[in-house]
Amino acid sequence: MSGAAQQVITGRYLCHIGDVADGIARGFAVSGLRPKVIVVRKNGHLHAYLDACPHYTGGTPMAWKSDAYLNGAGTHLACHSHGALFELATGECVLGPCLGQSLTKIDVTITATGEVFAAI
Amino acid sequence: MNIIGPDYLIFGVDDLPASIEYLTAFGLKPVGVDATGGLFEALDGTGIIVRAKGDPSLPAPLKTANMLRQQVYGVASPADLDAIEAELSKDRRVTRLADGSLETADDQGFALKFQTTKRRALMMPAEKINAPGAPAQRAPNEIGVWEDMPAAPRSLSHVVLFVPDIAKAADFYCNRLQFVITDTLVGAGPFLRPKANDDHHTLFFIRTPDYMQGCEHLAFHMGGPTELMVAGTRLVKSGVQSFWGPGRHKFGSNWFWYFNSPLGCHFEYDADMDKHDDTWTPREAPMGPEASQIVLFEMREKWAPGGPPPGAGKGPKPE
């Protein structure tokens, strides 16, 4: 992360890092993009994925209600269509209908002041 | 074998508090529910029984990650239980419980229970409509909708299963339990109704790989399309994620609206399903968007044309 005051950010604003506490996931709408972007923080690492389960062509939203993206134990992202589980760090499906497929990973940049931008 | 349809579906879930919140928001009534879960019932007493996945009172899980643990079928009388026991005991273990109910499994390992039905007879009007050329269904001054109108699930309608072997599944339910195929979506599977139920389907199969075996969705009957859309709108406003709908299916003619859930499958409101008898000739159509629905809508926030004139509130126009 660069602390330079003149840092040039490319991408779309998602959230402030303070919006996503460690161990939780949240979905953020991005103007002009149909799926939300899921941002999840675990052990200090931030990961972002399209809210689009690969089980269906074109993807389908995964939460059961707003921001409810994790399984009960909080160890995986879950698709609440059919219970598929995805690794937090890689987006790989480890259980369920889309076994072996992965969520679409979104690269993020975090500014010195904590704003999270998506490379989309 | 007068099987009526599913009385209960039993789930062993990963997140019990979330599931209890969901089933309540869906409009089902908790009956004796405590921290270990319990029954959430529709108006006729059918419903969903939910427990934590490690609860020792649950039937064994499927070999997949699906959370469905048992389908409990209601039958008309104890004589029907005797007939089912006699038939299925020919090639599998059937356990008679103290209350007279039966436990067994189908040919693909779905746990089944049969009981004298617990459903209560409903005496409620269907949604009433007025149309030119037909007698008015609503009397003068009887309004059709109001903000806090009731829209509660009336009865557990059907269950849809992901099954690896459609032929084996259809053979078991049709030739052993006297279900009838009403229609088939080729590429997905058949719709079935049991002998003592004239609904287009209480059961539908979708062909899938072994690792997906389980419940794809379950549905509750509503009092009509308006109740379906009112209940669905309330659910979405509470934050629940819509999956598909509202719309109206072709086979079965039922209105539909599907939602994600923390029980590992979709939950559906349905309304106004076709009825059939044994004179019906089953149809076939290839599975796809055209065959599966006559109309499909997508909910949006309430909006109305009108409002302030263009430019109002933006100050004087620049010269």
Side-chain angles (χ1 to χ4, degrees), chain A residues 65-120:
Chain A
K65 70 169 183 176
S66 305
D67 298 327
Y69 290 102
L70 298 176
N71 63 337
T75 57
H76 291 81
L77 288 166
C79 177
H80 294 88
S81 269
H82 297 122
L85 297 182
F86 301 86
E87 295 281 9
L88 293 178
T90 65
E92 184 186 352
C93 176
V94 293
L95 191 70
C98 39
L99 199 61
Q101 295 177 275
S102 289
L103 299 175
T104 302
K105 194 170 181 62
I106 304 293
D107 290 329
V108 294
T109 304
I110 308 167
T111 69
T113 50
E115 287 132 337
V116 180
F117 287 82
I120 47 177

Side-chain angles (χ1 to χ4, degrees), chain B residues 9-11 59-64 66-73 88 92 103-114 159-165 169 172-173 177 203-206 208-210 212-216:
Chain B
L9 298 172
I10 301 179
F11 288 83
L62 289 161
K63 290 174 183 169
T64 63
N66 197 268
M67 301 181 200
L68 177 66
R69 290 297 183 91
Q70 190 179 56
Q71 299 164 74
V72 181
Y73 274 103
L88 296 186
R92 72 200 66 212
E103 285 191 327
T104 188
D106 74 7
D107 284 347
Q108 290 178 90
F110 283 105
L112 299 176
K113 183 172 178 176
F114 298 91
V159 59
V160 174
L161 301 177
F162 280 145
V163 298
D165 190 331
F172 176 80
Y173 287 93
L177 295 175
L203 186 59
F204 176 54
F205 299 130
I206 299 175
T208 52
D210 290 349
M212 284 174 64
Q213 183 177 345
C215 176
E216 197 287 325

Side-chain angles (χ1 to χ4, degrees), chain A residues 34 51 55-56 60-66 71-73 80-83 95-99, chain B residues 14-15 18 21-22 65 162 211-212 215-216 239-243 260-262 264-266 298:
Chain A
R34 188 174 169 86
D51 179 9
H55 177 197
Y56 289 113
T60 185
M62 303 205 305
W64 71 265
K65 70 169 183 176
S66 305
N71 63 337
H80 294 88
S81 269
H82 297 122
L95 191 70
C98 39
L99 199 61
Chain B
D14 171 57
D15 190 338
E21 177 187 339
Y22 181 86
F162 280 145
Y211 64 85
M212 284 174 64
C215 176
E216 197 287 325
V240 169
Q241 177 66 53
S242 169
F243 171 70
N260 285 1
S261 87
C265 65
H266 295 126
E298 188 170 29

Side-chain angles (χ1 to χ4, degrees), chain B residues 234-249:
Chain B
R234 289 173 182 163
L235 203 56
V236 169
K237 278 185 172 177
S238 80
V240 169
Q241 177 66 53
S242 169
F243 171 70
W244 182 23
R248 191 167 195 180
H249 284 309

